């Protein structure tokens, strides 16, 4: 009896202890949920989610550089051995089909470019989709597709499957990259904070692009092809779970209350946005065209070792981060000179690109490559926030389409690079390629003078609201703006409720109040 009483007492104590722990866990979960709902903390968490997504996308983009060529050679050798064994078994006089060097290079070029090509084709649709449904659902869709493409990369055993995985990555990037950058622009509305947040995102993009080749090469060498992709897939899965928990993309919110974004074709014909898009394409051409060609040139001219080729771009990460840091600091003090920082960056890129062919060893080559990445950091960090500002003052503050245009600008360079750069080197030479890219950047830099008065723009009645009056309201947001304008003209005060409408109504009212001074 005494033993049974002791057993019952222990069971009661265990139950009480378990209940206490569950209560503590519930309290911590509640505190975590409250912390996540805090606007400032939520913005930081969203920035982390987006930065991880951008890091993953660019690591997956570049991690295949040291892996795929060698893996394709192995697949071709296995196919040749199998074909040879079949011939000997059948005792036939058939000839063995071998992929020539030119065909092999073309296969690699098409595989590398397929991501950017599909991303280029999908971006016009993804930008419009993001404007319609918001930023969270497209971000989650993009992470899901990237996760699947990474798994396919890990287990692919032929060229067709690799091509499918690469193309799927382009599809995922079209949603994740565009919605992620647009989400940052939407959450960080103050220009200084926005520049800093976008600068952090650009640093993650650079880190992913530059650290991925050594990361993939080392793991491929010592652990096999699957391990690098499985590591990236796990990180992508964790980022997707964070997106679900924090952003709650499928919660029943009133999406009809969202503002109706400006159609992409209207943004494309905006001269200021067109100048920025052209600068983003031009400044990324040297990087996109050198990545597939510089390895062969290093082998031919300076007899570089494999480790030197693998580490070619890694030192350039540090000047890229330095360029981001300097531009953010300068933009905070002198925001009216954003166009000037971009122009200086393009001159840096042009001068550095022209000096690449003059390098005679690995140490000398680091200097112009660091100059190129430093210049790209200046251009990207100065002009990406400018796109959001242009949309704020000249259009409706919805950022999906305008950052889809920015993504298209990048994709044009990276889609052409793997396919066109090799042909240019073959027909004209490596020196002519670099001189042409450098000259293009230097000649384009003066075009940024057109942006010199952008910082002085205010939300203009003629640019934003006259268009609304001509076309008529197309959604709830536009209807609210029209009603508020009529009330303001009649001298009536407006009331703001506590629903999702209040943010847009308050913003519209303040914008029209400021625009009245300039109308």
């Amino acid at each position: 009896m005494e033993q049974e009483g002791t057993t019952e007492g222990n069971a009661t104590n265990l139950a009480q202890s378990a209940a206490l722990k569950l209560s503590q866990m519930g309290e911590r979960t509640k505190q975590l949920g409250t912390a996540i709902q805090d606007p400032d903390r939520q913005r930081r968490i969203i920035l982390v989610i987006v930065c991880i997504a951008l890091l993953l996308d660019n690591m997956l983009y570049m991690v295949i550089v040291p892996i795929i060529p060698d893996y394709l050679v192995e697949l071709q050798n296995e196919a040749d051995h199998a074909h040879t064994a079949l011939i000997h078994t059948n005792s036939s006089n058939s000839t063995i089909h071998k992929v020539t060097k030119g065909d092999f290079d073309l296969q690699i070029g098409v595989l590398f470019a397929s991501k950017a090509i599909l991303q280029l084709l999908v971006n016009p649709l993804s930008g419009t989709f993001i404007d319609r449904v918001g930023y969270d659902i497209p971000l989650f869709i993009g992470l899901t597709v990237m996760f699947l493409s990474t798994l396919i990369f890990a287990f692919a055993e032929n060229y067709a499957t690799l091509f499918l995985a690469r193309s799927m990555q382009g599809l995922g990037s079209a949603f994740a990259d565009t919605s992620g950058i647009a989400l940052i622009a939407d959450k960080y509305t103050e220009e200084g904070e926005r520049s800093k947040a976008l600068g952090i995102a650009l640093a993650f993009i650079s880190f992913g692009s530059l650290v991925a080749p050594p990361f993939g090469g080392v793991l491929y060498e010592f652990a096999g092809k699957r391990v690098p992709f499985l590591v990236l897939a796990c990180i992508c899965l964790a980022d997707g779970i964070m997106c679900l928990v924090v952003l709650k993309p499928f919660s029943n919110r009133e999406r009809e209350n969202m503002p109706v974004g400006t159609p992409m074709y209207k943004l494309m014909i905006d001269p200021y946005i067109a100048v920025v898009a052209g600068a983003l394409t031009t400044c990324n051409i040297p990087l996109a065209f050198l990545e597939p060609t510089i390895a062969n040139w290093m082998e031919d001219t300076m007899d570089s070792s494999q480790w030197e080729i693998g580490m070619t771009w890694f030192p350039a990460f540090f000047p890229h981060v330095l360029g981001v840091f300097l531009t953010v600091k300068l933009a905070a003090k002198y925001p009216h000179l954003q166009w000037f920082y971009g122009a200086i960056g393009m001159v840096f890129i042009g001068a550095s690109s022209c000096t690449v062919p003059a390098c005679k060893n690995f140490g000398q080559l680091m200097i112009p490559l660091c100059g190129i990445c430093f210049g790209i950091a200046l251009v990207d960090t100065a002009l990406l926030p400018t796109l959001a500002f242009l949309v704020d003052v000249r259009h409706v503050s919805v950022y999906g389409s305008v950052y889809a245009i920015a993504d298209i600008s990048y994709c044009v360079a990276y889609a052409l690079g793997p396919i066109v750069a090799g042909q240019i080197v073959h027909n004209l030479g490596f020196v002519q390629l670099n001189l042409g890219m450098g000259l293009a950047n230097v000649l384009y830099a003066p075009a940024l003078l057109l942006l010199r008065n952008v910082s002085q723009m205010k939300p203009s009645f003629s640019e934003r609201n006259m268009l609304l009056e001509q076309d008529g309201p197309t959604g709830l947001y536009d209807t609210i703006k029209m009603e508020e304008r009529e009330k303001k003209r009649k001298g009536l005060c407006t009331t703001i409720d506590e629903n999702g409408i209040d943010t847009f109504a308050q913003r519209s009212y303040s914008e029209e109040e400021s625009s009245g001074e300039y109308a």
Side-chain angles (χ1 to χ4, degrees):
M1 288 291 295
E2 209 172 299
Q3 187 174 4
E4 289 180 3
T6 305
T7 304
E8 289 179 1
N10 291 337
T12 304
N13 292 334
L14 286 173
Q16 291 176 347
S17 176
L20 181 62
K21 289 182 179 179
L22 286 174
S23 176
Q24 291 175 348
M25 288 177 61
E27 188 66 26
R28 289 173 184 173
T29 304
K30 187 177 179 180
Q31 292 175 356
L32 180 62
T34 304
I36 289 176
Q37 295 304 316
D38 179 68
D40 289 334
R41 290 183 179 177
Q42 190 177 53
R43 285 199 310 175
R44 296 192 191 101
I45 296 172
I46 289 172
L47 181 61
V48 170
I49 292 172
V50 173
C51 287
I52 292 174
L54 296 173
L55 173 73
L56 285 168
D57 179 49
N58 286 272
M59 285 194 71
L60 187 57
Y61 179 77
M62 294 297 296
V63 76
I64 70 172
V65 170
I67 297 175
I68 295 303
D70 186 64
Y71 184 65
L72 288 177
V73 170
E74 287 185 10
L75 291 179
Q76 182 61 37
N77 290 337
E78 290 176 3
D80 290 343
H81 288 314
H83 200 177
T84 304
L86 182 63
I87 289 172
H88 289 312
T89 302
N90 296 335
S91 300
S92 65
N93 295 323
S94 303
T95 57
I96 302 174
H97 172 70
K98 291 189 177 182
V99 177
T100 63
K101 181 70 165 62
D103 291 339
F104 183 72
D105 290 342
L106 180 62
Q107 284 184 352
I108 294 178
V110 171
L111 181 64
F112 277 41
S114 60
K115 185 256 187 190
I117 292 173
L118 191 67
Q119 193 171 345
L120 181 66
L121 296 175
V122 174
N123 262 316
L125 302 176
S126 66
T128 304
F129 180 73
I130 291 166
D131 283 350
R132 294 295 180 186
V133 305
Y135 310 110
D136 42 11
I137 289 179
L139 178 59
F140 182 73
I141 291 173
L143 287 171
T144 302
V145 175
M146 286 168 55
F147 172 72
L148 294 175
S149 70
T150 310
L151 286 182
I152 294 174
F153 259 124
F155 297 99
E157 295 184 353
N158 55 63
Y159 181 84
T161 313
L162 291 171
F163 184 84
L164 173 65
R166 186 69 166 175
S167 300
M168 283 183 63
Q169 189 205 349
L171 177 64
S173 299
F175 286 94
D177 291 5
T178 305
S179 60
I181 295 292
L183 183 60
I184 291 175
D186 183 71
K187 294 296 182 182
Y188 292 85
T189 54
E190 196 273 322
E191 289 303 312
E193 290 184 340
R194 181 181 284 170
S195 295
K196 184 177 179 180
L198 289 174
I200 293 172
L202 288 171
F204 273 83
I205 291 174
S206 171
F207 183 73
S209 298
L210 300 176
V211 80
F215 165 82
V218 170
L219 285 182
Y220 174 64
E221 180 72 23
F222 296 103
K225 179 183 78 76
R226 294 180 179 178
V227 175
F229 298 109
L230 291 177
V231 170
L232 295 179
C234 291
I235 299 174
C236 190
L237 179 63
D239 199 38
I241 293 172
M242 286 176 61
C243 179
L244 274 177
V245 172
V246 177
L247 294 177
K248 298 181 173 63
F250 300 105
S251 61
N252 295 321
R253 289 177 295 177
E254 291 294 330
R255 300 186 182 277
E256 293 81 4
N257 291 345
M258 291 181 57
V260 177
T262 306
M264 185 178 290
Y265 74 90
K266 290 186 179 181
L267 296 177
M268 284 182 169
I269 61 177
D270 185 312
Y272 299 104
I273 293 176
V275 168
V276 173
L280 293 176
T281 299
T282 306
C283 77
N284 280 278
I285 283 177
L287 188 60
F289 279 52
L290 282 175
E291 281 176 350
T293 57
I294 198 169
N296 289 334
W297 177 77
M298 290 174 66
E299 288 180 346
D300 296 338
T301 58
M302 55 184 71
D303 195 27
S304 297
S305 61
Q306 288 300 314
W307 78 266
E308 288 177 330
I309 294 174
M311 295 295 291
T312 301
W313 294 101
F314 183 71
F317 166 71
F318 301 101
H320 187 280
V321 174
L322 176 63
V324 170
F325 178 79
L326 285 177
T327 309
V328 169
K329 291 297 183 182
L330 289 171
K333 290 186 177 181
Y334 310 103
H336 60 287
L337 294 178
Q338 295 273 54
W339 66 272
F340 182 69
Y341 310 143
I344 292 296
M346 298 197 78
V347 173
F348 254 98
I349 295 168
S352 301
S353 181
C354 290
T355 58
V356 167
C359 299
K360 302 299 181 185
N361 55 59
F362 180 75
Q364 293 177 2
L365 184 61
M366 291 301 98
I367 298 174
L369 295 185
C370 288
I372 289 173
C373 288
F374 179 77
I376 291 175
L378 292 183
V379 178
D380 288 350
T381 312
L383 297 187
L384 282 179
T386 302
L387 284 175
F389 182 77
L390 286 169
V391 169
D392 286 338
V393 298
R394 293 174 59 82
H395 304 281
V396 181
S397 297
V398 180
Y399 308 101
S401 290
V402 75
Y403 282 113
I405 292 173
D407 208 22
I408 289 171
S409 304
Y410 292 126
C411 291
V412 168
Y414 286 97
L416 293 176
I419 299 175
V420 175
Q423 292 297 320
I424 295 176
V425 171
H426 179 74
N427 296 329
L428 300 177
F430 188 78
V431 175
Q432 286 75 9
L433 172 68
N434 282 270
L435 292 177
M437 295 187 301
L439 187 62
N441 275 273
V442 173
L443 292 178
Y444 196 93
L448 296 181
L449 280 167
L450 294 174
L451 305 175
R452 65 187 182 278
N453 295 323
V454 163
S455 63
Q456 301 172 11
M457 292 181 181
K458 300 293 181 181
S460 171
F461 183 84
S462 60
E463 289 171 341
R464 296 186 65 182
N465 299 329
M466 287 297 289
L467 182 63
L468 180 61
E469 286 189 343
Q470 292 171 4
D471 297 342
T474 56
L476 180 58
Y477 177 68
D478 291 346
T479 304
I480 292 171
K481 289 182 68 178
M482 292 286 285
E483 290 175 354
E484 286 194 340
R485 189 180 310 148
E486 292 300 323
K487 289 180 180 179
K488 187 183 175 190
R489 287 174 183 171
K490 296 175 182 178
L492 300 175
C493 62
T494 57
T495 57
I496 301 173
D497 58 27
E498 297 179 353
N499 297 324
I501 302 175
D502 62 332
T503 304
F504 306 127
Q506 188 176 11
R507 182 188 300 174
S508 174
Y509 185 77
S510 62
E511 286 172 353
E512 293 190 7
E513 199 171 36
S514 61
S515 67
E517 301 173 6
Y518 298 89

